[in-house]
Amino acid sequence: MSRLAELPPLLLGLVILVLAQMAGLGLAALLGLPVPGVVIGLVLLVAAGAVRPTAVLTRRAEPAAAPLLKHLQLLFIPPGVGIVVELETVAQNALPVALAVGGSFAITLVAVGLLLQALLRRQDRRRDDADGPGGSGGPGGGGGPRAADGPGRSRA
């Protein structure tokens, strides 16, 4: 890794991104997965960033990723051209495409809403546990919207 560390940050970031892409392509081909290898490579890179010993990879890839993200709209041009070229085929399959897009949007919206509710409940429970049985919980005295529960009511 010492030779890689000597590379300019942008070039090192590009090397990491390309290696992640190639690893994803290799896994997709090896396992015969129906997911694009680029997506698998991105998931591998995110997983490597989540694990503490390999989190340095994502920090090293950032100098190359930031300009790509800055100009992300340019990456949508080739698929847009493909849709225009195949407009007749898209028009013939408009209902399935609309159902797929609308359905995936609705499922994602519901999933994110449920996840947000679960995370907020978890945050409230942690805050309640930190307050302890006395309820003061440190600076601020634990007042806020739940203070109106009254003395005989539980916070469940």
Side-chain angles (χ1 to χ4, degrees), residues 71-93:
H71 300 293
L72 186 63
Q73 69 272 13
L74 294 176
L75 300 176
F76 288 104
I77 292 174
V81 170
I83 289 173
V84 170
V85 168
E86 296 292 331
L87 198 55
E88 186 177 321
T89 306
V90 172
Q92 289 173 351
N93 298 308

Side-chain angles (χ1 to χ4, degrees), residues 3 9 13 23 29 34 37 41 51 57 68 76 78 81-82 102 104 106-108 110 126 128-129 133 136 145:
R3 291 194 132 199
V51 178
L57 287 176
L68 290 174
F76 288 104
V81 170
S104 64
I107 290 170
T108 303
V110 169
R126 284 187 174 183
D128 289 346
D129 290 344
S136 69

